[in-house]
């Protein structure tokens, strides 16, 4: 009997140990399954990524009757989640931001920005979440574009025409008070320093009041193409004068082809200029020859109508000059002797006539 009781106790103990082992196994299996199915644990296995996107803000309202001013053109959308989903959102650009104003009346309102197109597995926030807008009855008008530039950026000796815009005018819309306040649609060109040639730029439009402050209105277009024509300031036709190098200017005769050139440049410089001195080197010219010469660079002169001129050089023979001078001297001497002979003959005749009268 005692053995039977001991046997039962042993069996119960063994069964109890087996039950504990089975229970531990089941609990460990559930824990593993729970860990596998837990989204938080799943995300820890995939690298996360953050990104900020600039998204256009779409305003929903009756644009045939109203205009809306004050709202930003874009909002910032921050997204966070798995790298693959964030990269996909960046490349596809499916996210949209909008504000529904269709139930609102004219006046100033603060509205909430809503997002669409964001993957449900991503965390997203928009900044700003609320925007201030003003709804007003629509008024529109068309105004000319006024293009300006900094005159100091034009190179010395050059002049600029009045810049033009394409298109020449732009339509603006908004509240009547704002429309009435607009004095000009400004477009300012930014020229490189020392600009010497014409150019065209895409220029931003800015509506300004009479005091030069920006007015909040809607523009039919944001930019125009502005063109400015730049050319030499003035022109004048002047003669060329030779400046002999390596020789005596008295011994050379120089003619130019062309004889005159048209000079472009500053009006002050041109008004004081009657001719242009061109250096002619006669070192290699023995009797007669022609050389191609570049016109000199002069401060205030932008350009010439020709880059080079032809100088024809003729040497004047110095012995010929001496011979001519000698001949001239001999002629003068002969003239003098002839005059003296005539004077002597006349004097002799007068003496004979006087003696004849005394004899009578």
């Amino acid at each position: 009997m005692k053995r039977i009781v001991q046997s039962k106790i042993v069996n119960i103990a063994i069964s109890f140990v087996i039950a504990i082992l089975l229970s531990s196994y089941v609990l460990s299996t559930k824990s593993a399954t729970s860990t596998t199915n837990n989204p938080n644990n799943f995300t820890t296995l995939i690298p996360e990524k953050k990104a900020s996107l600039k998204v256009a803000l779409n305003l929903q309202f009756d644009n045939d009757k109203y205009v809306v001013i004050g709202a930003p053109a874009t909002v910032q959308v921050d997204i966070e989640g798995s790298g693959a989903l964030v990269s996909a959102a960046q490349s596809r650009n499916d996210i949209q931001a909008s504000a529904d104003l269709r139930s609102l009346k004219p006046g100033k309102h603060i509205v909430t920005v809503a997002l669409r197109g964001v993957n449900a597995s991503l965390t997203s926030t928009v900044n700003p979440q609320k925007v201030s807008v003003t709804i007003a009855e629509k008024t529109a008008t068309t105004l000319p574009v006024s293009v300006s530039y900094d005159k100091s950026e034009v190179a010395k000796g050059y002049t600029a025409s009045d810049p033009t815009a394409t298109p020449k005018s732009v339509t603006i819309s908004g509240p009547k008070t704002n429309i009435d306040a607009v004095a000009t649609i400004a477009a300012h060109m930014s020229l490189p320093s020392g600009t010497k040639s014409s150019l065209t730029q895409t220029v931003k439009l800015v509506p300004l009041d009479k005091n030069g402050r920006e007015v909040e209105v809607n523009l039919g277009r944001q930019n125009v193409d502005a063109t400015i024509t730049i050319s030499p300031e003035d022109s004048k036709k002047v003669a060329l004068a030779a400046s002999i190098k390596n020789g005596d200017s008295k011994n050379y005769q120089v003619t130019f082809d062309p004889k005159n050139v048209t000079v472009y440049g500053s009006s002050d410089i041109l008004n004081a200029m009657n001719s242009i001195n061109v250096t002619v080197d006669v070192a290699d010219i023995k009797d007669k020859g022609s050389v191609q010469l570049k016109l000199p660079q002069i401060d205030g002169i932008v350009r010439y109508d020709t880059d080079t001129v032809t100088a024809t050089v003729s040497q004047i023979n110095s012995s010929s000059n001496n011979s001519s001078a000698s001949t001239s001297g001999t002629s003068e001497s002969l003239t003098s002797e002839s005059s003296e002979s005539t004077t002597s003959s006349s004097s002799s005749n007068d003496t004979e006539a006087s003696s004849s009268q005394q004899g009578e």
Side-chain angles (χ1 to χ4, degrees):
M1 184 69 179
K2 185 175 181 181
R3 290 181 178 179
I4 294 173
V5 172
Q6 290 177 346
S7 177
K8 287 182 177 181
I9 293 173
V10 171
N11 291 335
I12 292 172
I14 292 172
S15 299
F16 182 72
V17 171
I18 292 173
I20 291 175
L21 293 174
L22 290 172
S23 176
S24 298
Y25 173 76
V26 171
L27 290 174
S28 65
T29 302
K30 288 183 177 180
S31 177
T33 303
S34 175
T35 301
T36 303
N37 294 331
N38 189 341
N40 294 328
N41 291 331
F42 177 74
T43 56
T44 60
L45 300 178
I46 300 177
E48 289 195 347
K49 183 178 179 181
K50 296 180 180 180
S52 295
L53 308 176
K54 285 290 184 182
V55 178
L57 178 60
N58 177 38
L59 302 177
Q60 299 174 317
F61 65 98
D62 186 354
N63 54 16
D64 290 332
K65 293 178 58 179
Y66 303 105
V67 292
V68 177
I69 58 176
T74 61
V75 293
Q76 178 177 309
V77 178
D78 298 321
I79 55 176
E80 181 179 358
S82 71
L85 293 178
V86 171
S87 297
Q90 288 178 302
S91 62
R92 288 200 299 263
N93 198 24
D94 291 334
I95 299 176
Q96 300 176 3
S98 63
D100 192 349
L101 316 178
R102 289 172 292 187
S103 61
L104 301 178
K105 295 181 179 180
K108 192 170 184 177
H109 306 275
I110 295 178
V111 295
T112 302
V113 178
L115 294 178
R116 291 188 300 172
V118 182
N119 191 295
S121 299
L122 294 176
T123 301
S124 63
T125 56
V126 60
N127 184 32
Q129 295 180 346
K130 295 181 181 294
V131 294
S132 177
V133 299
T134 299
I135 303 174
E137 292 186 359
K138 189 173 186 178
T139 300
T141 188
T142 300
L143 294 176
V145 176
S146 176
V147 184
S148 62
Y149 67 98
D150 187 350
K151 294 183 178 179
S152 66
E153 301 297 341
V154 178
K156 183 180 178 181
Y158 286 80
T159 184
S161 66
D162 291 334
T164 59
T166 305
K168 296 181 179 180
S169 59
V170 64
T171 300
I172 61 173
S173 59
K176 188 175 186 306
T177 53
N178 291 29
I179 295 296
D180 292 342
V182 177
T184 183
I185 305 296
H188 183 75
M189 298 186 71
S190 179
L191 305 182
S193 179
T195 300
K196 296 181 179 180
S197 57
S198 304
L199 56 92
T200 298
Q201 289 181 341
T202 299
V203 185
K204 181 182 178 182
L205 295 176
V206 182
L208 301 175
D209 64 12
K210 62 181 181 180
N211 297 318
R213 294 189 296 260
E214 186 171 352
V215 182
E216 194 172 23
V217 295
N218 292 328
L219 293 165
R221 59 184 302 126
Q222 300 298 317
N223 305 289
V224 294
D225 291 331
T227 300
I228 187 169
T229 302
I230 297 177
S231 58
E233 187 175 28
D234 202 354
S235 64
K236 182 179 182 180
K237 182 170 282 190
V238 297
L240 299 179
S243 178
I244 301 298
K245 179 181 178 182
N246 295 319
D248 190 342
S249 60
K250 295 179 181 179
N251 297 331
Y252 295 91
Q253 182 179 0
V254 181
T255 58
F256 290 101
D257 183 22
K259 296 179 180 180
N260 303 299
V261 296
T262 301
V263 185
Y264 298 86
S266 171
S267 298
D268 295 338
I269 300 296
L270 296 181
N271 290 337
M273 180 180 291
N274 294 318
S275 63
I276 297 176
N277 288 328
V278 181
T279 300
V280 181
D281 191 345
V282 297
D284 297 330
I285 297 177
K286 302 304 180 183
D287 185 21
K288 185 177 181 180
S290 298
V291 289
Q292 293 285 331
L293 301 173
K294 286 189 175 181
L295 295 175
Q297 293 184 351
I298 302 174
D299 187 29
I301 298 302
V302 174
R303 65 180 179 89
Y304 302 97
D305 62 346
T306 180
D307 294 330
T308 60
V309 294
T310 301
T312 301
V313 183
S314 300
Q315 189 174 13
I316 302 174
N317 197 328
S318 59
S319 61
S320 298
N321 290 340
N322 294 333
S323 176
S324 174
S326 176
T327 302
S328 175
T330 302
S331 176
E332 290 177 359
S333 177
L334 292 173
T335 303
S336 176
E337 291 177 359
S338 176
S339 176
E340 289 177 359
S341 176
T342 302
T343 302
S344 177
S345 175
S346 175
S347 176
S348 177
N349 292 336
D350 291 340
T351 302
E352 292 177 356
S354 174
S355 298
S356 175
Q357 291 175 358
Q358 289 178 0
E360 293 175 354

